Structure formats: C-alpha cells, structure tokens
Amino acid sequence: MSWRGDPVWLADVLRDAGLRVLEHDGWRDRGHGDFADIRGVLCHHTAGGGRNDWRIVQNGRPDLPGPLAQLVLEKDGTYRVIAAGVCWHAGRGSWPGWPTNNANYHTIGIEAVSRGDGSDWTPAQLDAYKRGCAAILRRIGRTASDCVAHREYSHEGKIDPAGIDMDEFRAEVQALIDGEDAPMSAAEVKQIQDFITGFCGPIGSDVKDIREQLCGLNERDANQYGGWPQLGGRTVVDALAEVLSRLEKLEA
Ligand SMILES: [Zn+2]
C-alpha cells in the first residue's frame, strides 16, 4: 500500500504528531508537478546551518529551480512546509523498492538545517526529525526501512545527513510507528491498573490522594491538612509562595 498523489496532508500529519509547523504561503500548489506514489522519506542536511536556509530550499539555486524539498526542519524542531508537489532533492541513486534514479517522484524530502559536519544537531531537532519521519511513514503505510539517508540512496557521493547513524535512527522511527500504532494488550492494561492502585490506593480514593499531595498528610480529620514536614509544615502552594517571595527579594 502506498499513498497516491500529492501529500496535501503534510502539515496536519506533523501537527497531529505534536510537532511545531509553519505553513508557507502557497505550499499546496508548489512543486515540479504531481507525485506518482509516495514510498518513503529521504533525509538531508542543508549544509548551511542558518535561519535563511529555507530560502534556497523554496526558491532554488541558479543551477536548480526550487522547490528543492517538501520540508525544512529548523534547529528548534519546527517544520517549515514548503511544497506538496515533486521537489528536486534526490538526484541519481537507488534503494530497495524505489525506482532507480527517480526518487523525486516517490519520496518526501526533508532538509534539516545544519552546517553539514554532523556537529550542530540539537536534541529538539533530532527528536522532531524522527517523529516527523514516523508520522509521514505511518500516513503512507510504510515502515522505517523506507526512511533513508541521502548518502545511502545517492550514487553521486552525497554525505547527508552527516553524523546521524541511520540504523539507530530507523530503529527509533520504527519504535515510534509501532508505539502509536499498537493497541494495548489486556495484560498491559492490567499492569497499568495495578500500578495506579498500588500508588494511589483503590480507585475512589484518588481525590483524597491529590489533596494530600498538595496540602500534606491528613491522618485525623478529613477537612484538615497539616502541611508537609519537608516544607516546614507548609502546603505546596504556601511553600511555592515563600520561594517566589524570596526570589523577588533577591532580584530587588
Ligand atoms: Zn541531500
């Protein structure tokens, strides 16, 4: 099973995965024609590393008209949605299950903002990279084996995305695909119920438990909470208020 046609759902699918998304004006109509069927995601780095890297991806270079990828992934983990049509990012190459030298018409390109030496990835960016790939692959009905580095596909000596171990990357992408996909087994549900019961007491006593967490243990009277010894007999709210007032004094 593959998705047929343009991925006009890109922004929604990324947002639904909890990712920050910037939709560029006209993205749904941008591209070098329409997709055949989409079989995977091709991962790149921009080899720039700055805030304006997206401009080249959207507008192109003197030798290559834009758009050059459907998505740009910023260092803070935000996805810029640039195009829904075919983009020039793959070049010549091959990968099992993809048409040789024709990946532009069958893969979504993600250009991640990076200098290109593997040293400047941020944790937020790497996390969003995996989550974005997982969300797209799920949408098109593919597994992490169709999440491919440009350097793995390319017959033209590409090195991107530098510094990312793709076997590790794919394992984490697959775990995300499975995690979101797999329904919980009865045994897992029971395990969670037992944990909650062990932690909070039998169901029904949870409201009292939350009150105690905030206000301190109550051993005698249902309406009186004595604060926490660790907080000098204060409730959580009173202790926080004390911390804030001391901080304000420090700043003044
Ligand atoms: Zn590339």
Side-chain angles (χ1 to χ4, degrees), residues 36-183:
D37 62 299
I38 305 179
R39 305 187 189 186
V41 180
L42 201 53
C43 299
H44 306 264
H45 66 219
T46 56
R51 287 165 190 256
N52 286 318
D53 286 13
W54 66 267
R55 292 181 192 277
I56 290 174
V57 178
Q58 183 164 313
N59 302 324
R61 309 185 300 249
D63 61 318
L64 194 61
L68 306 182
Q70 285 77 21
L71 298 169
V72 168
L73 173 57
E74 294 288 343
K75 288 185 166 303
D76 69 355
T78 301
Y79 275 94
R80 293 179 180 274
V81 186
I82 304 280
V86 167
C87 297
W88 303 147
H89 60 97
R92 287 183 294 111
S94 62
W95 186 256
W98 297 3
T100 297
N101 298 335
N102 202 23
N104 284 327
Y105 286 85
H106 299 275
T107 60
I108 289 170
I110 303 178
E111 286 281 358
V113 173
S114 165
R115 276 196 297 270
D117 59 10
S119 70
D120 62 343
W121 299 113
T122 70
Q125 190 179 24
L126 289 174
D127 184 62
Y129 216 163
K130 292 165 204 160
R131 289 180 192 281
C133 288
I136 292 165
L137 290 163
R138 248 165 70 79
R139 183 66 180 77
I140 64 174
R142 293 274 172 161
T143 69
S145 57
D146 286 308
C147 179
V148 181
H150 197 194
R151 66 170 185 272
E152 295 176 305
Y153 165 83
S154 180
H155 295 170
E156 299 173 309
K158 298 292 179 180
I159 62 159
D160 58 325
I164 294 181
D165 179 321
M166 287 309 291
D167 289 332
E168 230 169 73
F169 192 88
R170 273 188 284 271
E172 289 179 49
V173 167
Q174 190 59 48
L176 285 165
I177 295 172
D178 293 340
E180 289 161 0
D181 222 4

